[in-house]
C-alpha cells in the first residue's frame, strides 16, 4: 500500500513539474515570433496570419487534439509532457517508447512503464536535438549529401522501414488483437489512397477498431 | 534594421530554444532514471534503454535534419531549426509556410527578404501547433484518470487495452504503406521496404533466441530500419 501511495505521489509530482515545463515551453515557443516582430519592427497584418492559418489550422488543430488523446495513455505522464514539446511523435517518440518498454519487458501504464517511456522519450529528444544541431553546424557540407537524389528513397521510406520491424515484435506477440485493425486499415488505404496524407487522423480510428475487436474477443474469452 | 533569414539575432534565438529543449529533456531523463533506481529497477535495464533509444533515434533524426535543409532554402536556417526542434514535423511546417506564402502572394522558390512575410510565416507555424502544447496539461488528469480506472476495474483488460491502442497506431501506419499500390510497381516499394524491415527483425529475433545474442536486442530495431532504408536506396533506381 505504501508503495502505491509513493507511486501516486510521484505521479502527482510528475504532473506538477510537467505542467510547469510545458507552460514554460508555451511561453518560449510564443516568444520566438514575438521576438522576431519586435526586433525587426515587422508585425505582420492579422489578415495575413489568419489567411495562412486557415490553410493549415483546421486539419492540424484536429490532428493535435487527436494526438493528445491517443498518445497520452501510451506515453505516460512524464513522456507526454516531454514528447508534446519536442514533437515528432509518430516518427520517433512513440516508436522509441514502445520499443524501449518491449525490450525492458515492462507494461505501458505501469510505474516501470512510466520510467522507461520517459527515459526513452527524453533520450530520443536529446539525440534528435543534438543531431539537428550538429547537422546545422555542418550544413554546408552535409546539405548536398542529404539532398542527393540517391539517398532520397531512404528518407521517403523511413516510416515503412521503421514500422516493419516494430510490427514484427508487436503483431507476432498479439496477432489476435492485430488482425481486425490491420485488415481494416489495409482495405481502407487500398480503397481510398488519398487518406495517406491524413494518417494522423486515422491513428485513433485504428485504435478504436483495435479496442472494439479486442473487447469482443476478451468478452468471448479468446484472449 | 537589415533583415536576413540567417542573421545572428535569429541564431541566438534558436540557441536559446534549443537549450530549453535540452534542459527539459535532461531533467526528465535524470528524474525518470532516479525513480527507476528508487523502485528497484536494474541499472543495466535503464542504461540499455538509453543506449538502444539513442542508436535508434539517429536515422529518424537525420530525416528531420533533411526537413531543416528543405525549409532553409527559403526560410534560412534558424527558424526551421527552431521549428523542427520544438513540436515540429516537416509534414506540418512545409504546408504552414506554403499556406502563408500563398496567402501573401509570395513564391517560396527563393529566400524570403521581407521581414513581415517571415514573421507571418513564423506566427502561422507557431499558432498551428498550439493545441499540441496547450492540451496535454489540460487533459492529462482526465485521460490518465480514465486509464487508471480501467486498470483498477480489470487489470487484464487494462493490459489488453494498452496493447490494443499501440496496435491500432501501428496498423494505421502499416495500412498507409498500401496507399500507392495502384501506381504500379513503384507503388509497391514501401511494401517491399516494410517486408525487408520485418524480415531483418525476424532474423535479429532468431539470432537473439537461437544464438543467445542478447546484446542484439538493443540494436534490432535500428538495424532493421537502417537495413530497410538501404534496401530502398538500392531497389528504387531499379524500379522507377
Amino acid at each position: 500500500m505504501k508503495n502505491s501511495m509513493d507511486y501516486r505521489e510521484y505521479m502527482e509530482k510528475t504532473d506538477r513539474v510537467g505542467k510547469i515545463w510545458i507552460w514554460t515551453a508555451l511561453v518560449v515557443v510564443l516568444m520566438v515570433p514575438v521576438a522576431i516582430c519586435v526586433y525587426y519592427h515587422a508585425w505582420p497584418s492579422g489578415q495575413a496570419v489568419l489567411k495562412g492559418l486557415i490553410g493549415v489550422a483546421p486539419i492540424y488543430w484536429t490532428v493535435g487534439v487527436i494526438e493528445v488523446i491517443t498518445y497520452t495513455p501510451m506515453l505516460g505522464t512524464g513522456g507526454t509532457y516531454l514528447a508534446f514539446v519536442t514533437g515528432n511523435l509518430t516518427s520517433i517518440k512513440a516508436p522509441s517508447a514502445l520499443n524501449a518498454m518491449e525490450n525492458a519487458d515492462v507494461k505501458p501504464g505501469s510505474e516501470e512503464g512510466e520510467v522507461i517511456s520517459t527515459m526513452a522519450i527524453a533520450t530520443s529528444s536529446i539525440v534528435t536535438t543534438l543531431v539537428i544541431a550538429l547537422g546545422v553546424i555542418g550544413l554546408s557540407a552535409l546539405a548536398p549529401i542529404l539532398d542527393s537524389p540517391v539517398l532520397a528513397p531512404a528518407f521517403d521510406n523511413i516510416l515503412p522501414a521503421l514500422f516493419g520491424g516494430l510490427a514484427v515484435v508487436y503483431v507476432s506477440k498479439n496477432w489476435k488483437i492485430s488482425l481486425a485493425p490491420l485488415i481494416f486499415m489495409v482495405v481502407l488505404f487500398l480503397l481510398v489512397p488519398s487518406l495517406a496524407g491524413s494518417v494522423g487522423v486515422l491513428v485513433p480510428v485504428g485504435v478504436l477498431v483495435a479496442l472494439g475487436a479486442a473487447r469482443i474477443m476478451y468478452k468471448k474469452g479468446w484472449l | 534594421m537589415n533583415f536576413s533569414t540567417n542573421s545572428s539575432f535569429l541564431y541566438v534565438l534558436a540557441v536559446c530554444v534549443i537549450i530549453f529543449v535540452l534542459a527539459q529533456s535532461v531533467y526528465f531523463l535524470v528524474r525518470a532514471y532516479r525513480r527507476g533506481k528508487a523502485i528497484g529497477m536494474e541499472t543495466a535495464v535503464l542504461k540499455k534503454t538509453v543506449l538502444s533509444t539513442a542508436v535508434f533515434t539517429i536515422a529518424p533524426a537525420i530525416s528531420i535534419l533533411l526537413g531543416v535543409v528543405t525549409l532553409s532554402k527559403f526560410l534560412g536556417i534558424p527558424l526551421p531549426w527552431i521549428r523542427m526542434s520544438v513540436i515540429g514535423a516537416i509534414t506540418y511546417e512545409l504546408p504552414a509556410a506554403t499556406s502563408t506564402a500563398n496567402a501573401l502572394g509570395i513564391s517560396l522558390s527563393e529566400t524570403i527578404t521581407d521581414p513581415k512575410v517571415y514573421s507571418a510565416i513564423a506566427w502561422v507555424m507557431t499558432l498551428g501547433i498550439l493545441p499540441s502544447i496547450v492540451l496535454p496539461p489540460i487533459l492529462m488528469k482526465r485521460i490518465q484518470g480514465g486509464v487508471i480506472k480501467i486498470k483498477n476495474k480489470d487489470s487484464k483488460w487494462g493490459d489488453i487495452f494498452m496493447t490494443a491502442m499501440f496496435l491500432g497506431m501501428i496498423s494505421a501506419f502499416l495500412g498507409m504503406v498500401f496507399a500507392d499500390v495502384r501506381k504500379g510497381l513503384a507503388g509497391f516499394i514501401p511494401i517491399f521496404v516494410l517486408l525487408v524491415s520485418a524480415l531483418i527483425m525476424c532474423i535479429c529475433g532468431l539470432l537473439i533466441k537461437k544464438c543467445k545474442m542478447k546484446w542484439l536486442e538493443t540494436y534490432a530495431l535500428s538495424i532493421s530500419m537502417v537495413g530497410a532504408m538501404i534496401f530502398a536506396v538500392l531497389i528504387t533506381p531499379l524500379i522507377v
Side-chain angles (χ1 to χ4, degrees):
Chain A
M1 192 63 199
K2 185 179 178 294
N3 199 27
S4 84
M5 278 301 286
D6 283 348
Y7 177 43
R8 204 181 306 156
E9 273 170 30
Y10 172 73
M11 292 308 287
E12 273 171 14
K13 202 169 171 218
T14 305
D15 186 56
R16 257 197 322 273
V17 291
K19 278 193 173 112
I20 294 169
W21 274 106
I22 207 162
W23 287 126
T24 314
L26 176 69
V27 175
V28 171
V29 166
L30 285 172
M31 278 314 289
V32 172
V34 170
I36 292 169
C37 293
V38 171
Y39 188 80
Y40 289 109
H41 304 292
W43 289 92
S45 75
Q47 209 186 357
V49 175
L50 200 67
K51 271 189 184 169
L53 209 53
I54 285 171
V56 285
I59 179 78
Y60 289 102
W61 282 358
T62 312
V63 171
V65 174
I66 287 169
E67 280 190 344
V68 172
I69 296 168
T70 316
Y71 287 112
T72 300
M74 299 189 208
L75 304 179
T77 305
T80 298
Y81 281 132
L82 189 55
F84 278 95
V85 170
T86 54
N88 293 295
L89 274 128
T90 45
S91 62
I92 299 190
K93 304 294 152 52
S96 62
L98 190 62
N99 185 48
M101 285 190 276
E102 187 65 35
N103 278 347
D105 202 19
V106 297
K107 287 175 181 160
S110 66
E111 182 164 22
E112 288 81 3
E114 167 79 25
V115 166
I116 296 291
S117 168
T118 308
M119 283 182 68
I121 290 166
T123 306
S124 62
S125 300
I126 294 168
V127 173
T128 308
T129 311
L130 291 179
V131 166
I132 300 177
L134 288 174
V136 163
I137 293 166
L139 200 60
S140 52
L142 282 174
I145 304 169
L146 290 174
D147 235 1
S148 77
V150 178
L151 280 186
F155 295 111
D156 288 345
N157 286 290
I158 198 158
L159 284 179
L162 163 59
F163 279 94
L166 204 58
V168 167
V169 182
Y170 248 72
V171 174
S172 63
K173 278 190 181 170
N174 311 283
W175 65 272
K176 284 184 194 165
I177 308 175
S178 316
L179 272 180
L182 260 180
I183 294 169
F184 178 86
M185 281 298 165
V186 170
V187 171
L188 185 68
F189 279 104
L190 284 174
L191 292 176
V192 198
S194 59
L195 285 173
S198 33
V199 66
V201 184
L202 289 171
V203 169
V205 178
V207 167
L208 285 177
V209 173
L211 283 176
R215 185 71 191 167
I216 292 168
M217 285 189 277
Y218 180 63
K219 282 278 173 197
K220 287 192 182 285
W222 296 349
L223 293 176
Chain B
M1 183 83 56
N2 279 337
F3 171 75
S4 158
T5 53
N6 286 315
S7 72
S8 34
F9 168 74
L10 291 173
Y11 270 104
V12 170
L13 214 56
V15 170
C16 292
V17 174
I18 303 312
I19 289 172
F20 174 82
V21 174
L22 281 176
Q24 184 181 3
S25 306
V26 171
Y27 174 83
F28 275 95
L29 178 63
V30 172
R31 195 166 181 275
Y33 181 83
R34 283 187 183 152
R35 182 64 189 175
K37 293 283 287 173
I39 59 171
M41 292 177 79
E42 282 177 40
T43 312
V45 172
L46 301 176
K47 283 188 176 164
K48 200 174 103 174
T49 299
V50 173
L51 183 64
S52 156
T53 311
V55 173
F56 157 75
T57 306
I58 294 171
I62 293 174
S63 86
I64 294 170
L65 181 61
L66 199 62
V68 178
V69 174
T70 310
L71 292 168
S72 69
K73 285 164 196 160
F74 46 90
L75 289 176
I77 292 171
L79 186 59
W81 185 16
I82 294 171
R83 293 297 330 121
M84 301 300 274
S85 299
V86 188
I87 320 175
I90 187 73
T91 44
Y92 167 69
E93 308 302 343
L94 193 56
T98 316
S99 167
T100 318
N102 287 346
L104 293 166
I106 306 270
S107 160
L108 283 185
S109 55
E110 52 195 59
T111 307
I112 289 166
T113 50
D114 183 346
K116 282 195 176 175
V117 172
Y118 186 82
S119 66
I121 290 176
W123 272 110
V124 173
M125 283 178 157
T126 307
L127 295 175
I129 44 84
L130 277 193
S132 299
I133 206 162
V134 169
L135 288 179
I138 295 171
L139 297 179
M140 180 63 80
K141 281 226 157 151
R142 214 168 292 174
I143 295 173
Q144 293 297 54
V147 173
I148 291 166
K149 219 175 181 177
I150 291 169
K151 285 199 162 249
N152 285 347
K153 208 172 164 191
D154 180 348
S155 72
K156 191 182 175 201
W157 167 244
D159 290 343
I160 295 172
F161 182 89
M162 296 303 295
T163 307
M165 285 198 86
F166 277 119
L167 283 167
M169 176 192 82
I170 293 174
S171 302
F173 287 96
L174 292 180
M176 186 184 73
V177 169
F178 290 82
D180 288 335
V181 292
R182 290 187 200 175
K183 289 182 184 167
L185 199 54
F188 279 82
I189 293 174
I191 301 176
F192 297 149
V193 173
L194 180 110
L195 291 175
V196 167
S197 169
L199 181 71
I200 300 174
M201 184 54 110
C202 287
I203 295 170
C204 287
L206 279 176
L207 290 173
I208 292 164
K209 275 191 186 151
K210 303 281 175 196
C211 303
K212 309 271 178 249
M213 294 166 73
K214 190 98 175 113
W215 59 270
L216 196 58
E217 247 179 23
T218 311
Y219 308 104
L221 189 61
S222 309
I223 294 170
S224 58
M225 180 174 65
V226 174
M229 286 167 76
I230 294 170
F231 172 77
V233 170
L234 299 176
I235 198 179
T236 306
L238 300 176
I239 292 178
V240 180

